[in-house]
């Protein structure tokens, strides 16, 4: 079974530039999560999707962050414009209905200069 | 906000020794999970323990849960160099579907 796929793995951009991350969850998983992980910290939830509906986006900074999950499969997280403080690892995870375990992708490491 | 707090923040042991990590949390939970993260990788689920369970085993892993103290411990027996990683506890905050992670314990197993 293929795991959660994320791309790119690394991204270096200058501040004020836009950036986008892509995630393909495990086939059949209805729930998709985007997390932010700062150095030395645990992941913090940005947004959770049930199929194509964002059911929890309370921690997503909506002035600069946006996300979409068209057709309820893969998802894109965008930052526009990026700030220095956005440098972090962005993790995507998925789970199937009624399953508490989440399966994580390798993450995208973002560096904003 | 982070619900769980792992202790210690860092732990260094020799191969073959046991490693114990602790996690404390703040609200009521339905379950608590432990995840491992190797450097530069995503998180891998290790074990889930429900609020009505007190102890659970999986291979060399032993997890305990004390809901009265709002704490859990993860014991790795006979550690190996490959166990070197960061370990995170995660709880379903207030029994919700949202997982809240702690800051993690960085374990180093020296060969």
């Amino acid at each position: 079974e293929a795991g959660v796929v994320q791309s790119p793995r690394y991204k270096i951009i200058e501040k004020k530039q836009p950036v986008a991350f892509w995630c393909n969850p495990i086939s059949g998983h209805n729930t998709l999560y985007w997390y932010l992980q700062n150095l030395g910290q645990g992941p913090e939830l940005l947004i959770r999707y049930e199929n194509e509906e964002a059911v929890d986006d309370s921690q997503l900074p909506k002035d600069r962050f946006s996300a979409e999950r068209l057709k309820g499969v893969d998802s894109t997280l965008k930052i526009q414009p990026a700030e220095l403080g956005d440098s972090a690892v962005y993790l995507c995870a998925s789970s199937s209905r009624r399953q508490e375990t989440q399966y994580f992708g390798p993450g995208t490491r973002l560096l904003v200069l | 906000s982070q619900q769980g707090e792992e202790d210690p923040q860092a732990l260094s042991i020799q191969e073959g020794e046991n490693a114990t990590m602790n996690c404390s949390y703040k609200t009521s939970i339905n379950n608590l999970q432990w995840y491992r993260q190797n450097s530069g990788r995503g998180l891998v689920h290790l074990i889930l323990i429900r609020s009505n369970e007190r102890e659970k085993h999986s291979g060399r892993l032993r997890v305990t849960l004390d809901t009265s103290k709002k704490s859990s411990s993860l014991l790795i027996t006979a550690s190996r160099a490959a166990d070197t990683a960061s370990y995170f506890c995660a709880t379903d905050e207030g029994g919700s579907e949202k997982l809240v992670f702690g800051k993690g314990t960085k374990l180093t197993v020296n060969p």
Side-chain angles (χ1 to χ4, degrees), chain B residues 24-81:
Chain B
S24 59
Y25 56 92
K26 299 173 185 173
T27 66
S28 62
I29 60 171
N30 284 337
N31 66 70
L32 183 145
Q33 304 182 43
W34 284 90
Y35 286 79
R36 182 189 73 224
Q37 185 176 36
N38 292 88
S39 179
R41 303 279 188 90
L43 282 77
V44 174
H45 179 261
L46 295 176
I47 197 165
L48 179 152
I49 186 165
R50 301 192 184 282
S51 59
N52 61 352
E53 298 176 307
R54 291 296 168 258
E55 188 171 309
K56 202 162 183 179
H57 297 255
S58 177
R60 295 184 296 112
L61 305 181
R62 172 178 166 249
V63 169
T64 62
L65 178 63
D66 187 334
T67 53
S68 66
K69 295 181 179 178
K70 291 187 170 59
S71 67
S72 173
S73 67
L74 170 66
L75 168 67
I76 304 174
T77 60
S79 64
R80 306 167 181 168

Short mmCIF file of all heavy atoms in Angstrom, two decimals, chain B residues 24-81:
data_model
loop_
_atom_site.label_atom_id
_atom_site.label_comp_id
_atom_site.label_asym_id
_atom_site.label_seq_id
_atom_site.Cartn_x
_atom_site.Cartn_y
_atom_site.Cartn_z
N SER B 24 2.30 14.04 29.93
CA SER B 24 1.19 14.53 30.74
C SER B 24 0.27 15.35 29.85
O SER B 24 0.74 15.99 28.90
CB SER B 24 1.70 15.36 31.91
OG SER B 24 2.44 16.47 31.45
N TYR B 25 -1.02 15.32 30.13
CA TYR B 25 -1.97 16.05 29.31
C TYR B 25 -2.96 16.76 30.22
O TYR B 25 -2.93 16.58 31.44
CB TYR B 25 -2.68 15.12 28.33
CG TYR B 25 -3.39 13.95 28.97
CD1 TYR B 25 -4.72 14.02 29.33
CD2 TYR B 25 -2.71 12.75 29.20
CE1 TYR B 25 -5.36 12.95 29.92
CE2 TYR B 25 -3.34 11.67 29.78
CZ TYR B 25 -4.67 11.77 30.14
OH TYR B 25 -5.30 10.70 30.73
N LYS B 26 -3.82 17.58 29.61
CA LYS B 26 -4.61 18.49 30.44
C LYS B 26 -6.10 18.17 30.50
O LYS B 26 -6.73 18.37 31.53
CB LYS B 26 -4.43 19.92 29.92
CG LYS B 26 -2.99 20.41 29.99
CD LYS B 26 -2.82 21.77 29.30
CE LYS B 26 -1.35 22.18 29.27
NZ LYS B 26 -1.14 23.42 28.47
N THR B 27 -6.68 17.72 29.39
CA THR B 27 -8.13 17.53 29.38
C THR B 27 -8.48 16.05 29.37
O THR B 27 -7.62 15.19 29.25
CB THR B 27 -8.74 18.20 28.14
OG1 THR B 27 -8.29 17.51 26.97
CG2 THR B 27 -8.33 19.66 28.04
N SER B 28 -9.77 15.75 29.48
CA SER B 28 -10.21 14.36 29.39
C SER B 28 -9.97 13.86 27.97
O SER B 28 -9.94 14.64 27.02
CB SER B 28 -11.69 14.26 29.74
OG SER B 28 -12.45 15.00 28.82
N ILE B 29 -9.77 12.57 27.84
CA ILE B 29 -9.47 12.00 26.54
C ILE B 29 -10.24 10.70 26.32
O ILE B 29 -10.70 10.07 27.27
CB ILE B 29 -7.96 11.69 26.39
CG1 ILE B 29 -7.51 10.67 27.46
CG2 ILE B 29 -7.13 12.97 26.46
CD1 ILE B 29 -6.10 10.15 27.27
N ASN B 30 -10.38 10.32 25.05
CA ASN B 30 -10.88 8.98 24.71
C ASN B 30 -9.72 8.03 24.48
O ASN B 30 -9.82 6.84 24.75
CB ASN B 30 -11.75 9.03 23.46
CG ASN B 30 -13.12 9.61 23.75
OD1 ASN B 30 -13.59 9.59 24.89
ND2 ASN B 30 -13.76 10.13 22.73
N ASN B 31 -8.62 8.56 23.92
CA ASN B 31 -7.46 7.72 23.71
C ASN B 31 -6.19 8.57 23.66
O ASN B 31 -6.26 9.79 23.51
CB ASN B 31 -7.59 6.89 22.42
CG ASN B 31 -7.61 7.74 21.17
OD1 ASN B 31 -6.58 8.32 20.80
ND2 ASN B 31 -8.76 7.82 20.52
N LEU B 32 -5.08 7.91 23.81
CA LEU B 32 -3.78 8.55 23.72
C LEU B 32 -2.91 7.72 22.79
O LEU B 32 -2.95 6.49 22.84
CB LEU B 32 -3.13 8.64 25.11
CG LEU B 32 -1.78 9.35 25.23
CD1 LEU B 32 -1.69 10.09 26.55
CD2 LEU B 32 -0.62 8.40 25.06
N GLN B 33 -2.17 8.39 21.94
CA GLN B 33 -1.34 7.67 20.97
C GLN B 33 0.11 8.11 21.12
O GLN B 33 0.40 9.21 21.55
CB GLN B 33 -1.81 7.99 19.54
CG GLN B 33 -3.28 7.69 19.30
CD GLN B 33 -3.70 7.95 17.88
OE1 GLN B 33 -3.01 7.61 16.93
NE2 GLN B 33 -4.87 8.58 17.72
N TRP B 34 0.99 7.22 20.73
CA TRP B 34 2.42 7.53 20.67
C TRP B 34 2.87 7.39 19.21
O TRP B 34 2.52 6.42 18.53
CB TRP B 34 3.24 6.60 21.56
CG TRP B 34 3.13 6.94 23.02
CD1 TRP B 34 2.21 6.45 23.91
CD2 TRP B 34 3.97 7.84 23.76
NE1 TRP B 34 2.43 6.99 25.16
CE2 TRP B 34 3.50 7.84 25.09
CE3 TRP B 34 5.06 8.63 23.44
CZ2 TRP B 34 4.09 8.60 26.11
CZ3 TRP B 34 5.66 9.39 24.44
CH2 TRP B 34 5.17 9.38 25.75
N TYR B 35 3.66 8.38 18.78
CA TYR B 35 4.22 8.39 17.43
C TYR B 35 5.73 8.54 17.52
O TYR B 35 6.27 9.13 18.46
CB TYR B 35 3.66 9.56 16.61
CG TYR B 35 2.22 9.38 16.15
CD1 TYR B 35 1.16 9.61 17.02
CD2 TYR B 35 1.94 9.01 14.83
CE1 TYR B 35 -0.15 9.46 16.60
CE2 TYR B 35 0.63 8.86 14.40
CZ TYR B 35 -0.41 9.10 15.28
OH TYR B 35 -1.70 8.95 14.86
N ARG B 36 6.42 8.03 16.51
CA ARG B 36 7.87 8.18 16.39
C ARG B 36 8.18 8.97 15.13
O ARG B 36 7.51 8.82 14.10
CB ARG B 36 8.54 6.81 16.30
CG ARG B 36 10.07 6.85 16.23
CD ARG B 36 10.64 5.49 15.92
NE ARG B 36 10.42 5.11 14.54
CZ ARG B 36 10.01 3.92 14.16
NH1 ARG B 36 9.77 2.96 15.04
NH2 ARG B 36 9.83 3.66 12.88
N GLN B 37 9.20 9.82 15.23
CA GLN B 37 9.64 10.60 14.08
C GLN B 37 11.15 10.51 13.96
O GLN B 37 11.88 11.02 14.81
CB GLN B 37 9.22 12.06 14.19
CG GLN B 37 9.55 12.89 12.95
CD GLN B 37 9.03 14.31 13.05
OE1 GLN B 37 9.02 14.90 14.12
NE2 GLN B 37 8.57 14.87 11.93
N ASN B 38 11.59 9.86 12.90
CA ASN B 38 13.02 9.84 12.60
C ASN B 38 13.39 11.17 11.96
O ASN B 38 12.56 11.83 11.35
CB ASN B 38 13.36 8.68 11.67
CG ASN B 38 13.19 7.35 12.37
OD1 ASN B 38 12.11 6.77 12.37
ND2 ASN B 38 14.24 6.88 12.99
N SER B 39 14.66 11.53 12.09
CA SER B 39 15.12 12.83 11.62
C SER B 39 14.76 13.03 10.15
O SER B 39 15.06 12.21 9.29
CB SER B 39 16.65 12.92 11.80
OG SER B 39 17.13 14.15 11.34
N GLY B 40 14.09 14.15 9.87
CA GLY B 40 13.76 14.47 8.49
C GLY B 40 12.64 13.65 7.89
O GLY B 40 12.43 13.70 6.68
N ARG B 41 11.91 12.94 8.73
CA ARG B 41 10.83 12.08 8.20
C ARG B 41 9.50 12.47 8.81
O ARG B 41 9.42 13.28 9.73
CB ARG B 41 11.13 10.62 8.54
CG ARG B 41 12.46 10.13 8.02
CD ARG B 41 12.40 9.74 6.56
NE ARG B 41 13.62 9.11 6.10
CZ ARG B 41 13.83 7.81 6.15
NH1 ARG B 41 12.90 7.01 6.63
NH2 ARG B 41 14.97 7.32 5.71
N GLY B 42 8.45 11.84 8.29
CA GLY B 42 7.14 12.03 8.88
C GLY B 42 6.98 11.19 10.13
O GLY B 42 7.87 10.43 10.50
N LEU B 43 5.85 11.33 10.79
CA LEU B 43 5.59 10.57 12.00
C LEU B 43 5.03 9.20 11.68
O LEU B 43 4.28 9.03 10.73
CB LEU B 43 4.59 11.32 12.89
CG LEU B 43 5.15 12.50 13.69
CD1 LEU B 43 5.35 13.71 12.81
CD2 LEU B 43 4.22 12.83 14.85
N VAL B 44 5.39 8.23 12.51
CA VAL B 44 4.90 6.86 12.37
C VAL B 44 4.16 6.47 13.63
O VAL B 44 4.68 6.63 14.75
CB VAL B 44 6.08 5.89 12.12
CG1 VAL B 44 5.57 4.44 12.11
CG2 VAL B 44 6.77 6.23 10.81
N HIS B 45 2.95 5.96 13.46
CA HIS B 45 2.15 5.56 14.61
C HIS B 45 2.75 4.32 15.27
O HIS B 45 3.12 3.36 14.59
CB HIS B 45 0.72 5.26 14.15
CG HIS B 45 -0.18 4.82 15.25
ND1 HIS B 45 -0.49 3.49 15.50
CD2 HIS B 45 -0.83 5.52 16.21
CE1 HIS B 45 -1.30 3.41 16.52
NE2 HIS B 45 -1.52 4.63 16.98
N LEU B 46 2.85 4.35 16.59
CA LEU B 46 3.39 3.22 17.34
C LEU B 46 2.30 2.44 18.05
O LEU B 46 2.22 1.21 17.92
CB LEU B 46 4.41 3.72 18.38
CG LEU B 46 5.68 4.36 17.84
CD1 LEU B 46 6.52 4.87 18.99
CD2 LEU B 46 6.46 3.38 16.99
N ILE B 47 1.49 3.13 18.82
CA ILE B 47 0.53 2.42 19.66
C ILE B 47 -0.56 3.39 20.12
O ILE B 47 -0.32 4.59 20.27
CB ILE B 47 1.27 1.79 20.86
CG1 ILE B 47 0.43 0.71 21.54
CG2 ILE B 47 1.75 2.84 21.84
CD1 ILE B 47 1.24 -0.17 22.49
N LEU B 48 -1.75 2.85 20.30
CA LEU B 48 -2.89 3.62 20.79
C LEU B 48 -3.42 2.93 22.05
O LEU B 48 -3.58 1.71 22.06
CB LEU B 48 -3.98 3.70 19.72
CG LEU B 48 -5.28 4.44 20.04
CD1 LEU B 48 -5.89 5.00 18.75
CD2 LEU B 48 -6.30 3.55 20.74
N ILE B 49 -3.69 3.71 23.06
CA ILE B 49 -4.27 3.16 24.29
C ILE B 49 -5.53 3.96 24.60
O ILE B 49 -5.55 5.19 24.52
CB ILE B 49 -3.25 3.20 25.46
CG1 ILE B 49 -3.83 2.48 26.68
CG2 ILE B 49 -2.80 4.61 25.79
CD1 ILE B 49 -2.79 2.16 27.75
N ARG B 50 -6.60 3.24 24.90
CA ARG B 50 -7.88 3.89 25.16
C ARG B 50 -8.00 4.26 26.64
O ARG B 50 -7.29 3.71 27.49
CB ARG B 50 -9.04 2.98 24.73
CG ARG B 50 -8.98 2.64 23.26
CD ARG B 50 -10.23 1.99 22.72
NE ARG B 50 -10.02 1.61 21.32
CZ ARG B 50 -10.08 2.46 20.31
NH1 ARG B 50 -10.34 3.74 20.53
NH2 ARG B 50 -9.88 2.04 19.08
N SER B 51 -8.92 5.16 26.92
CA SER B 51 -9.03 5.69 28.27
C SER B 51 -9.44 4.63 29.29
O SER B 51 -9.18 4.79 30.49
CB SER B 51 -10.04 6.85 28.31
OG SER B 51 -11.30 6.41 27.87
N ASN B 52 -10.04 3.54 28.83
CA ASN B 52 -10.43 2.48 29.77
C ASN B 52 -9.37 1.38 29.88
O ASN B 52 -9.59 0.36 30.52
CB ASN B 52 -11.77 1.87 29.36
CG ASN B 52 -11.73 1.22 27.99
OD1 ASN B 52 -10.73 1.34 27.27
ND2 ASN B 52 -12.79 0.54 27.62
N GLU B 53 -8.23 1.61 29.25
CA GLU B 53 -7.12 0.66 29.35
C GLU B 53 -6.03 1.24 30.24
O GLU B 53 -5.82 2.45 30.27
CB GLU B 53 -6.54 0.36 27.96
CG GLU B 53 -7.56 -0.29 27.03
CD GLU B 53 -7.01 -0.49 25.62
OE1 GLU B 53 -6.51 0.49 25.03
OE2 GLU B 53 -7.09 -1.63 25.12
N ARG B 54 -5.32 0.38 30.91
CA ARG B 54 -4.25 0.84 31.81
C ARG B 54 -2.87 0.51 31.27
O ARG B 54 -1.89 1.19 31.59
CB ARG B 54 -4.43 0.20 33.19
CG ARG B 54 -5.64 0.70 33.92
CD ARG B 54 -5.52 2.18 34.21
NE ARG B 54 -6.78 2.76 34.66
CZ ARG B 54 -7.58 3.48 33.86
NH1 ARG B 54 -7.24 3.71 32.60
NH2 ARG B 54 -8.70 3.99 34.33
N GLU B 55 -2.79 -0.53 30.46
CA GLU B 55 -1.48 -0.93 29.94
C GLU B 55 -1.68 -1.63 28.60
O GLU B 55 -2.69 -2.33 28.39
CB GLU B 55 -0.82 -1.89 30.93
CG GLU B 55 0.62 -2.24 30.62
CD GLU B 55 1.27 -3.01 31.75
OE1 GLU B 55 1.20 -2.54 32.91
OE2 GLU B 55 1.86 -4.06 31.48
N LYS B 56 -0.70 -1.43 27.72
CA LYS B 56 -0.77 -2.07 26.42
C LYS B 56 0.64 -2.38 25.94
O LYS B 56 1.57 -1.62 26.20
CB LYS B 56 -1.49 -1.16 25.41
CG LYS B 56 -2.07 -1.87 24.23
CD LYS B 56 -3.10 -1.00 23.54
CE LYS B 56 -3.74 -1.75 22.39
NZ LYS B 56 -4.77 -0.94 21.71
N HIS B 57 0.78 -3.51 25.25
CA HIS B 57 2.09 -3.93 24.78
C HIS B 57 2.06 -4.09 23.26
O HIS B 57 1.04 -4.47 22.68
CB HIS B 57 2.48 -5.28 25.39
CG HIS B 57 2.62 -5.25 26.87
ND1 HIS B 57 3.85 -5.28 27.49
CD2 HIS B 57 1.70 -5.18 27.85
CE1 HIS B 57 3.67 -5.25 28.81
NE2 HIS B 57 2.38 -5.18 29.05
N SER B 58 3.20 -3.80 22.65
CA SER B 58 3.37 -4.06 21.22
C SER B 58 4.85 -4.29 20.99
O SER B 58 5.65 -3.36 20.98
CB SER B 58 2.88 -2.87 20.39
OG SER B 58 3.13 -3.10 19.01
N GLY B 59 5.24 -5.55 20.83
CA GLY B 59 6.65 -5.87 20.65
C GLY B 59 7.48 -5.42 21.85
O GLY B 59 7.20 -5.81 22.98
N ARG B 60 8.46 -4.58 21.60
CA ARG B 60 9.32 -4.07 22.68
C ARG B 60 8.75 -2.82 23.35
O ARG B 60 9.40 -2.21 24.20
CB ARG B 60 10.71 -3.76 22.12
CG ARG B 60 11.47 -5.00 21.64
CD ARG B 60 12.89 -4.65 21.17
NE ARG B 60 12.87 -3.77 20.01
CZ ARG B 60 13.28 -2.50 20.02
NH1 ARG B 60 13.73 -1.94 21.15
NH2 ARG B 60 13.26 -1.78 18.92
N LEU B 61 7.55 -2.43 22.96
CA LEU B 61 6.92 -1.23 23.51
C LEU B 61 5.91 -1.60 24.58
O LEU B 61 5.15 -2.55 24.43
CB LEU B 61 6.20 -0.45 22.40
CG LEU B 61 7.01 -0.03 21.19
CD1 LEU B 61 6.13 0.74 20.23
CD2 LEU B 61 8.22 0.78 21.58
N ARG B 62 5.92 -0.80 25.65
CA ARG B 62 4.90 -0.95 26.69
C ARG B 62 4.40 0.44 27.04
O ARG B 62 5.19 1.32 27.36
CB ARG B 62 5.48 -1.63 27.92
CG ARG B 62 4.53 -1.66 29.11
CD ARG B 62 5.17 -2.39 30.29
NE ARG B 62 4.41 -2.14 31.54
CZ ARG B 62 4.87 -1.42 32.55
NH1 ARG B 62 6.08 -0.91 32.52
NH2 ARG B 62 4.13 -1.25 33.62
N VAL B 63 3.11 0.62 26.95
CA VAL B 63 2.51 1.92 27.26
C VAL B 63 1.58 1.76 28.45
O VAL B 63 0.83 0.79 28.54
CB VAL B 63 1.71 2.45 26.05
CG1 VAL B 63 0.87 3.65 26.45
CG2 VAL B 63 2.66 2.83 24.93
N THR B 64 1.64 2.71 29.35
CA THR B 64 0.71 2.75 30.47
C THR B 64 -0.06 4.06 30.42
O THR B 64 0.40 5.06 29.86
CB THR B 64 1.43 2.64 31.82
OG1 THR B 64 2.32 3.76 31.97
CG2 THR B 64 2.23 1.35 31.92
N LEU B 65 -1.24 4.04 30.99
CA LEU B 65 -2.08 5.22 31.03
C LEU B 65 -2.72 5.33 32.41
O LEU B 65 -3.31 4.37 32.90
CB LEU B 65 -3.17 5.15 29.95
CG LEU B 65 -4.16 6.31 29.90
CD1 LEU B 65 -3.45 7.61 29.55
CD2 LEU B 65 -5.28 6.02 28.89
N ASP B 66 -2.58 6.49 33.01
CA ASP B 66 -3.22 6.78 34.30
C ASP B 66 -4.10 8.00 34.10
O ASP B 66 -3.62 9.14 34.12
CB ASP B 66 -2.15 7.03 35.37
CG ASP B 66 -2.74 7.17 36.77
OD1 ASP B 66 -3.93 7.57 36.88
OD2 ASP B 66 -2.02 6.92 37.74
N THR B 67 -5.38 7.78 33.89
CA THR B 67 -6.29 8.90 33.60
C THR B 67 -6.52 9.77 34.84
O THR B 67 -6.83 10.95 34.69
CB THR B 67 -7.64 8.39 33.08
OG1 THR B 67 -8.16 7.43 33.99
CG2 THR B 67 -7.47 7.75 31.71
N SER B 68 -6.34 9.22 36.03
CA SER B 68 -6.52 10.03 37.24
C SER B 68 -5.40 11.07 37.37
O SER B 68 -5.61 12.16 37.88
CB SER B 68 -6.55 9.15 38.48
OG SER B 68 -5.30 8.52 38.69
N LYS B 69 -4.23 10.71 36.86
CA LYS B 69 -3.09 11.64 36.89
C LYS B 69 -2.89 12.33 35.54
O LYS B 69 -1.98 13.15 35.40
CB LYS B 69 -1.81 10.90 37.27
CG LYS B 69 -1.82 10.33 38.69
CD LYS B 69 -0.51 9.62 38.99
CE LYS B 69 -0.53 9.08 40.41
NZ LYS B 69 0.72 8.34 40.73
N LYS B 70 -3.72 11.97 34.57
CA LYS B 70 -3.59 12.52 33.22
C LYS B 70 -2.15 12.36 32.73
O LYS B 70 -1.47 13.33 32.33
CB LYS B 70 -4.02 13.99 33.17
CG LYS B 70 -5.52 14.21 33.36
CD LYS B 70 -5.91 15.65 33.14
CE LYS B 70 -7.42 15.83 33.09
NZ LYS B 70 -8.12 15.38 34.31
N SER B 71 -1.68 11.13 32.77
CA SER B 71 -0.31 10.87 32.35
C SER B 71 -0.19 9.50 31.70
O SER B 71 -1.00 8.59 31.95
CB SER B 71 0.66 10.97 33.53
OG SER B 71 0.42 9.93 34.45
N SER B 72 0.83 9.37 30.87
CA SER B 72 1.12 8.12 30.19
C SER B 72 2.63 7.94 30.13
O SER B 72 3.38 8.92 30.19
CB SER B 72 0.56 8.15 28.77
OG SER B 72 0.96 7.02 28.02
N SER B 73 3.06 6.70 30.01
CA SER B 73 4.48 6.45 29.84
C SER B 73 4.68 5.46 28.70
O SER B 73 3.83 4.60 28.45
CB SER B 73 5.11 5.91 31.12
OG SER B 73 4.61 4.61 31.39
N LEU B 74 5.78 5.63 28.01
CA LEU B 74 6.18 4.72 26.93
C LEU B 74 7.52 4.12 27.33
O LEU B 74 8.48 4.84 27.58
CB LEU B 74 6.33 5.47 25.61
CG LEU B 74 6.97 4.70 24.45
CD1 LEU B 74 6.08 3.53 24.01
CD2 LEU B 74 7.24 5.63 23.26
N LEU B 75 7.55 2.80 27.40
CA LEU B 75 8.79 2.08 27.72
C LEU B 75 9.24 1.32 26.49
O LEU B 75 8.46 0.57 25.90
CB LEU B 75 8.55 1.11 28.88
CG LEU B 75 9.65 0.08 29.16
CD1 LEU B 75 10.91 0.77 29.67
CD2 LEU B 75 9.17 -0.97 30.15
N ILE B 76 10.48 1.54 26.09
CA ILE B 76 11.09 0.75 25.02
C ILE B 76 12.13 -0.14 25.67
O ILE B 76 13.09 0.35 26.29
CB ILE B 76 11.76 1.65 23.97
CG1 ILE B 76 10.76 2.66 23.40
CG2 ILE B 76 12.36 0.80 22.85
CD1 ILE B 76 11.38 3.68 22.46
N THR B 77 11.95 -1.43 25.59
CA THR B 77 12.89 -2.36 26.20
C THR B 77 13.98 -2.77 25.21
O THR B 77 13.78 -2.73 23.99
CB THR B 77 12.17 -3.62 26.70
OG1 THR B 77 11.54 -4.26 25.58
CG2 THR B 77 11.12 -3.28 27.74
N ALA B 78 15.13 -3.11 25.75
CA ALA B 78 16.26 -3.59 24.94
C ALA B 78 16.47 -2.70 23.72
O ALA B 78 16.39 -3.15 22.57
CB ALA B 78 16.01 -5.04 24.50
N SER B 79 16.73 -1.44 23.97
CA SER B 79 16.79 -0.46 22.89
C SER B 79 17.87 -0.78 21.87
O SER B 79 18.89 -1.42 22.18
CB SER B 79 17.01 0.94 23.46
OG SER B 79 18.27 0.98 24.10
N ARG B 80 17.65 -0.29 20.65
CA ARG B 80 18.59 -0.47 19.54
C ARG B 80 18.94 0.89 18.98
O ARG B 80 18.18 1.85 19.15
CB ARG B 80 17.95 -1.32 18.45
CG ARG B 80 17.41 -2.65 18.94
CD ARG B 80 16.52 -3.29 17.90
NE ARG B 80 15.96 -4.57 18.36
CZ ARG B 80 14.98 -5.22 17.75
NH1 ARG B 80 14.46 -4.73 16.63
NH2 ARG B 80 14.54 -6.37 18.24
N ALA B 81 20.05 0.96 18.27
CA ALA B 81 20.45 2.24 17.66
C ALA B 81 19.35 2.75 16.73
O ALA B 81 19.13 3.96 16.61
CB ALA B 81 21.76 2.06 16.89
#
